[in-house]
Structure formats: structure tokens, C-alpha cells
Amino acid sequence: MPFFDDLELLPDDPILSIPIAFAADPRPEKVNLGIGAYKTAEGLPLVLTSVKKAEVQIIQKNLNKEYLPIEGDAEFLNYGLQLLFGASLYQKLAPHLFATQTVGDSGALRIAGEFFARNISRTIFLSQPSWTNHKLIFERSGLNVGSYPYYDSVSHRFDIDGMSAAIQNMPPGSILLLQGCCHNPSGVDPSIEEWKELSPLVKKQNLIPFFDLAYQGFGESLDKDAEPIRYFAEQGHEMVVCYSFSKNFGLYGERVGFLSILADHPASIPKIASQIKTTIRSNYSNPPLHGVRIVKTILKSPELSAEWKIELENMRDRICEMRKALVAALLVKEHGRDFSFLLQQRGLFSFSGLNPEQTQRLREEKGIYMPQNGRINVAGLNTQNLEYVAESIISVI
Ligand code: LMR
């Protein structure tokens, strides 16, 4: 009896399948607005100059390739936590923090998911909508995945009332996934005042805030984008943060991230560490070397750090310009649909409001690729394709 004949055939990943379909499309006018990776004004992938310089320094050091400890590179984690919490808050929190390097942010989410399922709670709530991979990661981690209202598709705004009401009905002890900034896929974030309204509700309901921070620096600034997480930490929440260096350092394929857990009592830290390290060891044993060496080399050097911050700002500025240009291009067309709500959105993504049928038509008729939920990677726009994209959007609405 063959073992594999009756396997269920699962659908392709809705995001990672896009670059493959795009590459196979022969049309010269095709545009990739799919996967969340920054592109230059010429539509090309960008390796930051600070990253290239750090790599030269690393090669010159002639370092070995021995295994890292299970929890990764301690110096890297130190720099990462400072970036996340800011130097002074980090110093205050340090005795209450556990951190481990992870295989990108997805690796951090998966390790956290297994840690929760085994030790804390099997119930997690995600924003509606959320990054498509969140649900898959947490279901495969053994969690029951629920959702809370987040994005109001009529007003195109954050639904503070819906989210607040939902929080008050969540079972105490549940895990509440929050995106720290540049919400994926909607591009809509709560204001800092709204975060301050949410914090006491989360505490009253005894939920664990579980932050996913994948875009620090793509919203407003490195510090501003971390403000909600810093605020929650200052309010004394026990909480978990998953962090990505994929976007802000452009290190997508290097898989650099970390997972951090903030506990009330320092005495909990060795216990947390033992649980997380055992989970990592039983997954991928220990993390990769090269990407963390790059991040560490940059954050350690005042010159490279300064250069990286300028490069990050340049990426952010170009995304903002393209978002404004798209809205302007859509405005001048005669179609009776107001796209000015896109201007309120931040980060790499804009939620266009296009439905699955319209995104499918864009792909088939125009060679414009985006996930079915209508999420646009704004960095995929440039002055050469903008008009074409705007005209094509109008043609399908
Ligand atoms: C995205 O949302 O496009 C990125 O975070 C890449 C991914 O892994 O889905």
C-alpha cells in the first residue's frame, strides 16, 4: 500500500508563491506588488551599503563557522534589545528579560507559539485581518486561533471600539497578538493614545500582550515605531515580543530575528530560558551565524549605524512618496472612488480595498501581482510603473 497516495494537496502559500508566478510571467509590463520586500526606484532589490561594508569587515576578520549557543549571539541580542526598548528602558528591564536569537521573525513566532501552547495558554487572538502566515504558524504550534475586529473596511480606519469590546470578552489568560507598527496587511496602526486606552483593558482581562515587530523604522522613526511596546513594558505587562531584521536591514534571506520575554520576576527567567531553549533545540538546534554578524557589526559601529539609519530613512521616504503618488494618480482618474484613505496607512503595505476577484483580474489581464486580500507592497511602485498600476486598478473597479 503506497504511503503517500492519499495525502491532501494543500494550496500554495498566498505570499511566497507570488515571486515564483511573477518570474514565470513573460509580459514586460508586469509589476510585482506582492511579497513585502523593499525595492529601489528602479524596481530592484536593495542591499544596503552599510550591510555591504559590514560584510567586508566580517570577511577580513576571518572568523570561524562554529555553532552558536542555542539562544544565539549574546552581543547581537544586547544590541537588538537596545534598539527595541531604547537604552535606558532596556537597562531598567534587563533583569526581567529573556531573549533568544531566532530564524527570522517567523521563527520567533513559531517558537513562541509552541512555548505558549505547552506552558501558558492554548488560546490566541489575531487582528482581523492579520498577516496570512500568523494563523498557519499558530495553528501548527498547537494553538486555537481566534480573532478580534481591527480594521474597519468601511471607514478604512482602526476599529478601536470593536477591538476594545472584543478584548473584554476574551478568556483571561489568553494571548493577544498585536503588531507594534506598520500593521501587515492593512498599514493601519492605532495611535499612541489608542494604545494607551488598550493597555489597561489588556491588563484588566489578564491577557498576555504578544507583539510582532517586523517593521521598526518603516513607520515614523525607530523610536516612534517602538513606542507602543515601550509603553506596554513601562505599564508592567508581562509580555512577549518577536522582532525582525529582515526589512529594516534588508536582510530578508539571512533570517535574522529574536524573541524576547519580559517577566515580572527575575527568578522566572532561568525557567523561561530552559523551556525556550529546549523548544529551539528540538526544532532547528541553534541559529545561523552570518546575518547576526552583519547586524552586530553595524550596531556596534557609530559610523555604520549612522549610515544605516540614513539608508532606513531613505527607504521610508521613498515608500511615503510612492504612496502619495499612487493616491494622486488614482485621484485624477474619473471613477468616483476615493482612495485618499491610503494616505493614513504606514509602512511597506497599503490595503487597497480591492477584492479577490479584482486582484485576480489585475494578475491575469495586466500582469500586476498582489495577494488576494488586495495588499499592495508600496515599495514595488516606481515612476515607471505608477501610471500603469493606477490605470489598471481603475480598469478593474
Ligand atoms: C510579507 O508579508 O510579504 C512578508 O512578511 C514576507 C512573508 O514571509 O510573508
Side-chain angles (χ1 to χ4, degrees):
M1 162 78 180
F3 288 113
F4 306 124
D5 284 12
D6 294 335
L7 280 181
E8 183 189 354
L9 179 66
L10 299 177
D12 283 342
D13 183 80
I15 296 175
L16 291 187
S17 59
I18 294 178
I20 298 163
F22 181 76
D25 188 331
R27 288 171 284 186
E29 70 278 16
K30 65 184 178 176
V31 183
N32 189 355
L33 304 177
I35 193 164
Y38 182 81
K39 295 288 178 297
T40 65
E42 292 73 39
L44 300 171
L46 177 66
V47 181
L48 301 181
T49 307
S50 50
V51 166
K52 287 185 192 157
K53 289 184 182 169
E55 284 187 310
V56 171
Q57 290 186 16
I58 293 164
I59 296 287
Q60 284 167 349
K61 282 191 186 150
N62 204 19
L63 299 166
N64 67 43
K65 301 281 188 191
E66 295 297 292
Y67 291 121
L68 279 171
I70 296 173
E71 69 276 31
D73 183 310
E75 223 184 343
F76 155 78
L77 290 169
N78 199 29
Y79 283 113
L81 290 168
Q82 282 192 47
L83 200 59
L84 170 61
F85 290 112
S88 63
L89 180 61
Y90 172 44
Q91 216 177 5
K92 215 167 92 188
L93 299 177
H96 301 263
L97 278 173
F98 167 76
T100 181
Q101 189 186 323
T102 52
V103 183
D105 181 37
S106 302
L109 293 164
R110 177 63 194 241
I111 296 300
E114 288 188 29
F115 170 74
F116 287 137
R118 189 174 275 274
N119 303 289
I120 310 289
S121 162
R122 286 195 172 268
T123 307
I124 189 167
F125 291 93
L126 315 181
S127 62
Q128 178 54 39
S130 202
W131 179 46
T132 47
N133 204 25
H134 278 144
K135 186 162 182 278
L136 185 62
I137 289 176
F138 298 126
E139 280 176 354
R140 293 272 170 139
S141 306
L143 295 172
N144 301 314
V145 180
S147 68
Y148 57 85
Y150 181 87
Y151 177 76
D152 180 339
S153 54
V154 177
S155 68
H156 303 287
R157 290 184 181 277
F158 169 55
D159 181 4
I160 175 89
D161 295 337
M163 178 168 173
S164 302
I167 285 176
Q168 292 168 68
N169 285 316
M170 288 176 189
S174 307
I175 300 141
L176 179 66
L177 186 79
L178 303 162
Q179 295 189 40
C181 72
C182 307
H183 184 266
N184 181 0
S186 74
V188 172
D189 292 330
S191 65
I192 191 65
E193 289 72 30
E194 288 168 328
W195 283 112
K196 287 180 180 175
E197 279 181 47
L198 294 170
S199 166
L201 299 180
V202 173
K203 206 173 225 178
K204 187 158 175 244
Q205 201 64 14
N206 197 28
L207 308 175
I208 304 183
F210 176 28
F211 281 99
D212 183 2
L213 190 64
Y215 300 91
Q216 189 184 6
F218 270 74
E220 244 175 294
S221 69
L222 284 165
D223 284 330
K224 279 269 171 216
D225 292 354
E227 217 177 318
I229 294 181
R230 294 178 189 174
Y231 179 78
F232 269 60
E234 279 164 343
Q235 296 311 300
H237 289 272
E238 286 199 300
M239 59 191 235
V240 178
V241 184
C242 294
Y243 191 98
S244 175
F245 288 94
S246 297
K247 327 282 171 169
N248 54 9
F249 280 74
L251 290 173
Y252 309 94
E254 296 290 356
R255 314 309 297 136
V256 196
F258 68 82
L259 163 65
S260 171
I261 301 183
L262 178 62
D264 264 357
H265 303 297
S268 308
I269 299 299
K271 293 183 246 177
I272 294 171
S274 72
Q275 290 288 341
I276 295 283
K277 281 162 66 176
T278 304
T279 307
I280 291 175
R281 180 69 168 145
S282 63
N283 269 275
Y284 53 84
S285 187
N286 49 47
L289 266 178
H290 187 65
V292 292
R293 284 180 170 163
I294 297 171
V295 172
K296 192 169 79 170
T297 305
I298 293 174
L299 293 178
K300 217 170 166 170
S301 148
E303 295 78 32
L304 287 181
S305 277
E307 184 164 3
W308 164 65
K309 285 179 187 167
I310 291 170
E311 295 189 283
L312 176 59
E313 205 175 309
N314 290 342
M315 289 194 278
R316 184 172 67 233
D317 288 350
R318 202 186 84 72
I319 295 168
C320 280
E321 268 172 41
M322 284 301 111
R323 183 176 276 115
K324 283 188 198 143
L326 177 64
V327 172
L330 287 167
L331 258 185
V332 294
K333 317 275 176 216
E334 298 283 321
H335 53 75
R337 174 97 76 105
D338 179 12
F339 281 96
S340 57
F341 65 87
L342 297 178
L343 296 172
Q344 312 300 323
Q345 303 177 351
R346 305 188 318 159
L348 210 48
F349 303 120
S350 265
F351 217 33
S352 63
L354 296 173
N355 62 36
E357 190 219 317
Q358 291 163 335
T359 59
Q360 190 62 24
R361 281 188 60 200
L362 280 175
R363 183 183 289 215
E364 280 166 13
E365 295 169 21
K366 305 288 179 182
I368 297 176
Y369 288 71
M370 66 182 73
Q372 280 210 328
N373 61 10
R375 187 194 78 172
I376 289 176
N377 170 18
V378 183
L381 295 170
N382 55 51
T383 46
Q384 294 96 71
N385 64 25
L386 194 93
E387 270 301 309
Y388 177 65
V389 169
E391 273 164 22
S392 303
I393 289 176
I394 303 308
S395 77
V396 299
I397 61 175

